[in-house]
Amino acid sequence: LSPDEDGICSGRYFSESGLVGLLEQAAELFSTGGLYETVNEVYKIVIPILEAHRDFRKLTLTHSKLQKAFDSIINKKRMFGTYFRVGFYGSKFGDLDEQEFVYKEPAITKLPEISHRLEGFYGQCFGEDAVEVIKDSAPVDKRKLDPNKAYIQITFVEPYFDEYEMKDRVTYFEKNFNICRFMYTTPFTMDGRPRGELSEQYKRNTILTTMHAFPYIKTRINVIQREEFILTPIEVAIEDMRKKTQELTAATNQEPPDAKMLQMVLQGSVGATVNQGPLEVAQVFLAEIPADPKLYRHHNKLRLCFKEFIMR
C-alpha cells in the first residue's frame, strides 16, 4: 500500500484468503529455492489466519509442508551461491567506469567460468580485442591502462561478518542469507612481489559493502563502501594458524565422523612435506622474543594460537 498526497492509503487491497494464497505461493517458491528456513517464517503469518477461520484442512496441509521443510533442513546439503567482485575500468564502459559490483553466481561457479562469460559478453559489445580481464586482485592503477580498451577485474569474494555477528549466524543458512558485506584478500610484499618468505609476507584484506543484501531480485548489486586493512607478516601467521585450528575443530566435531576429511586436514596441518606450515611459522616468529615492543602482543597471540592448535 502506498500513501497518496492526502495521506489516504491507495493501492490494491487483498482479502485474507487472497493474502493466504499469495503467501502460500511465496512459501512454495522459497522451498523450490532451497530456502526452507524462510518457509517457516511465511507460515508463521499464514497459520494464525487459518486458525481464526477454523480451516483445519488447510492447517493439516500447511503443517505437512512445514514438516517437509524442516526435514529438508536436517537432511539436505545445500549450496547457496558463489560471489565475485567485478570492477569495470575504461571510458568504453561509460557510467560503469570505475564501478564495482558483487555478482551472485550459481553454487560452485569457478572464476574462469564467470571470466569467460563476461569477457564474451563485453567482447560482443566493444570487440574482442578491446576487452581485457585483469587477472589479479591488486588495486588498479588507471594510468597504466590503455584508454582504448575496456578492462574487467574479477575477484572471488566470501561473505564477511564481524565477531559479534557470528554469535547469531550459527547455521550454514544464516551465514548465507541477508548478507551485504564481502571480503577478499591480496597477498603482497614490500618489494612488489605477490608472494615471499613468511617474514616478509603481508596481506591486504578488503571488505566491500553492497547497497542491498543477498539474496536479492537482481544477481548483481553495487558496492557502496570499501574498507582496507593491512596485515603484517606475524598477523598473517596468526590468521593462518586460527584457520588451521578451526579446520581441525570442524573435522574432529563432524557428525557423523569423517576419517578421510580428518586425515586430509591433519596432513595439511602437520605433514612433513608442507612448506611454510606450522613448524616453519614457529621457527620464524617464535624462535626469539621480538626486539620491537610493539610486536609483544602479536607474539603472545601467536603463542596462544599454537597452544590451541596443539590441543586440537
Side-chain angles (χ1 to χ4, degrees):
L1 303 175
S2 56
D4 59 20
E5 290 178 0
D6 299 323
I8 301 165
C9 282
S10 59
R12 185 176 176 187
Y13 288 83
F14 296 100
S15 64
E16 282 186 343
S17 61
L19 176 62
V20 168
L22 284 172
L23 289 169
E24 285 174 338
Q25 285 178 37
E28 288 293 330
L29 290 169
F30 282 136
S31 184
T32 305
L35 303 173
Y36 304 114
E37 288 82 353
T38 54
V39 173
N40 182 43
E41 296 302 316
V42 171
Y43 280 130
K44 280 180 183 177
I45 305 167
V46 172
I47 288 171
I49 298 172
L50 297 179
E51 287 174 344
H53 287 278
R54 278 77 168 174
D55 193 339
F56 300 112
R57 192 181 296 278
K58 273 202 170 182
L59 277 168
T60 304
L61 188 61
T62 298
H63 283 291
S64 71
K65 287 179 179 178
L66 273 173
Q67 183 183 2
K68 189 180 173 184
F70 290 135
D71 283 339
S72 298
I73 292 171
I74 297 166
N75 299 317
K76 277 193 179 180
K77 288 188 176 180
R78 293 173 287 172
M79 299 283 294
F80 287 111
T82 311
Y83 299 92
F84 297 93
R85 169 242 171 210
V86 180
F88 298 96
Y89 303 93
S91 56
K92 284 183 176 292
F93 284 115
D95 293 341
L96 282 181
D97 184 20
E98 292 190 61
Q99 292 287 314
E100 288 180 297
F101 296 86
V102 171
Y103 279 61
K104 182 185 178 185
E105 294 294 311
I108 327 179
T109 300
K110 302 292 184 187
L111 187 63
E113 292 177 53
I114 183 172
S115 297
H116 179 71
R117 195 183 82 225
L118 291 178
E119 191 175 11
F121 176 78
Y122 288 103
Q124 289 180 341
C125 298
F126 309 127
E128 289 182 13
D129 296 335
V131 178
E132 191 171 317
V133 175
I134 300 171
K135 299 190 185 300
D136 58 48
S137 59
V140 175
D141 186 353
K142 281 202 73 178
R143 292 171 299 180
K144 295 180 180 178
L145 302 181
D146 185 341
N148 298 314
K149 283 191 173 184
Y151 293 87
I152 307 170
Q153 188 181 41
I154 306 170
T155 315
F156 171 75
V157 294
E158 293 180 299
Y160 173 82
F161 308 104
D162 288 312
E163 279 188 31
Y164 73 89
E165 288 181 279
M166 292 303 288
K167 293 174 185 175
D168 296 322
R169 292 183 181 266
V170 179
T171 66
Y172 181 65
F173 171 80
E174 288 163 343
K175 290 173 184 172
N176 287 274
F177 189 81
N178 196 28
I179 47 177
C180 62
R181 298 177 79 202
F182 301 86
M183 186 179 83
Y184 66 93
T185 61
T186 310
F188 70 96
T189 59
M190 287 304 181
D191 60 6
R193 290 174 297 131
R195 299 279 178 185
E197 298 296 322
L198 281 174
S199 57
E200 55 187 13
Q201 184 65 69
Y202 288 77
K203 189 189 282 185
R204 182 186 295 105
N205 285 350
T206 306
I207 299 168
L208 308 172
T209 304
T210 54
M211 186 178 289
H212 305 287
F214 285 105
Y216 189 60
I217 53 173
K218 293 181 181 178
T219 54
R220 79 170 186 181
I221 304 178
N222 294 67
V223 172
I224 57 170
Q225 188 179 339
R226 153 191 282 267
E227 303 167 73
E228 287 186 355
F229 302 96
I230 303 293
L231 300 185
T232 59
I234 193 167
E235 288 176 305
V236 173
I238 290 167
E239 192 179 75
D240 288 344
M241 287 306 301
R242 281 179 174 166
K243 219 172 259 183
K244 281 184 169 63
T245 305
Q246 286 169 2
E247 287 172 3
L248 269 174
T249 306
T252 50
N253 293 338
Q254 195 165 333
E255 286 294 338
D258 187 339
K260 285 184 181 178
M261 179 58 72
L262 181 57
Q263 176 80 6
M264 285 170 60
V265 173
L266 277 173
Q267 283 181 336
S269 298
V270 296
T273 57
V274 177
N275 294 323
Q276 298 191 338
L279 181 61
E280 182 76 13
V281 171
Q283 288 171 341
V284 170
F285 295 107
L286 299 181
E288 297 176 1
I289 294 173
D292 186 353
K294 292 178 183 176
L295 294 177
Y296 287 167
R297 187 164 57 89
H298 294 314
H299 186 264
N300 197 44
K301 263 188 187 178
L302 186 56
R303 285 175 61 249
L304 291 172
C305 283
F306 267 94
K307 186 178 178 182
E308 176 77 8
F309 175 72
I310 291 165
M311 188 187 80
R312 293 295 171 188

